[in-house]
Amino acid sequence: MSEAHFPPAHPFDDDKLKEECGIFGVVGVTDAANFVALGLHALQHRGQEAGGIVSYAPEHGFNSARRFGYVRDNFTKQSLMETLPGQLSIGHVRYSTAGSKGQTAIRDVQPFFGEFSMGGAAIAHNGNITNADALRKELIERGSIFQSSSDSECIIHLMARSLQRDIPSRMEDALRRVEGAFSVVAMTRTKLIGVRDPLGVRPLVLGKVGDSGWALSSETCALDIIGADFVREIEPGEMVVITAEGGVESSHPFRPTKSRFCIFEHVYFSRPDSIIGGRSVYETRRQIGVELARETPVEADLVCPVPDSGTPAAIGYAHESGIPYGMGIIRNQYMGRTFIEPTEQIRNMGVRLKLNVNRALIQGKRVVLVDDSVVRGTTSRKIKEMILDAGAAEVHFRIASPPTSWPCFYGVDTPQREKLLAATMSEDEMRDHLGVDSLKFISLDGLYRAVGEAGGRDAKSPQYCDACFSGEYPVKPADMIEKGFKLKAAE
């Protein structure tokens, strides 16, 4: 599928924060690429723009396929999957990085492959390298020739320049030069490799497939789809090297530090049927709704989720508040991306292509709308208009995350700060801008309580990365500071 034919994202999705990718790998199973395709399908929510798979078989060597579009539209074709034989394979689904919408080339689609003196290796990366510009400049000045615009390619070039004698050691060398957030799945001719950065910002889990197979995945839901047993999370700063014969070898090549897992994984990015830190994502989101109801009560007749991401929090809010829960907004599950050319007339239909109001339920009611976040606010305004058009007496927004007022530089596609509604307006100003009767967000302490931190957020040593809410970045975004971005302390 050429880039010219890749359909544009729907306006509804453009007002959501996007996790930029999902990664998956297996070793020790027949037709490993088929397992990877299934895993990537389960991780499609983490990246819907493009996907790629690399496999290895001794008699065929390394083979790869990279395509724009959904996994189901590409990697379910027998003719393609037959070109990816072997018992070892990794894959990747992605969104493009901030600022590059519509400019993605097939060369930017991972996994990336490199041929070294000791053999080939492929790598797939979830996260963002915050010193990639400086590394790229240094590598180019020393003779490296880049094939993509992706920050992830820096890892391959750093590995090529390492003097270590085996590929896992070269990867350690390379990742010690990298700043930011990274979960990596890589493969050689015999090994499946997984690594998390010392802060553990992005997720990575280990699963067991049958008697001798192993899997690495961004989330546990992708282990479920291939019938793998969840073993454990890869620890922050851990590297695992896995073979079908020898099993899992673990090491910790980075200097130990306090972990800072991305708290927005709990709020929105991860699928509700995944497990994070031993906790059900669904149950955490339901608990966010409970905390939200305790912090922001309101007199109303109906609690409605903004589907689908607001549903668990709305259930929790309704249960705690005693206000009846109802599906006041129905999502068209078969819409996907815009199915016709987005003419001006179609654009003006806005979210109605994906969402429709259950008029009989809404009419005359004071409605609490529960959503996961407010980013630009454009979708929230359109949903409010739809609810009022259906005859609602009042509209109250309750948001299952604190105000998103800072961009993420660790692998989430976030608008520039001035385009974030919460960065330029107070809560009251946002309420007036959206035109609703009330607007309230869960507090940062309330969010921490919902994810299991009974005492709330430790202000001196936060337990999670919450930079998008607090402006406190656990790793300074060196490249962005070089470009003029001002940290909170410098404002």
Side-chain angles (χ1 to χ4, degrees), residues 285-286 288-290 292-294 296-307 309-330 357-358 361-372 383 387 392 394-400 438:
R285 289 178 187 166
R286 193 195 68 81
I288 290 173
V290 170
L292 188 58
R294 291 170 180 168
T296 64
V298 64
E299 291 187 6
D301 305 306
L302 191 68
V303 174
C304 296
V306 176
S309 55
T311 301
I315 291 171
Y317 193 101
H319 183 269
E320 180 67 17
S321 66
I323 302 171
Y325 170 90
M327 295 296 292
I329 303 173
I330 307 301
V357 175
N358 189 348
L361 188 64
I362 290 292
Q363 195 165 16
K365 302 281 180 50
R366 297 169 296 174
V367 180
V368 179
L369 288 177
V370 180
D371 203 356
D372 60 89
I383 291 173
I387 294 291
E394 296 176 6
V395 178
H396 303 271
F397 261 112
R398 293 296 181 267
I399 310 301
S438 71

Side-chain angles (χ1 to χ4, degrees), residues 176-188:
R176 286 193 184 101
R177 295 285 316 280
V178 164
E179 298 174 5
F182 55 86
S183 281
V184 169
V185 168
M187 60 180 282
T188 68

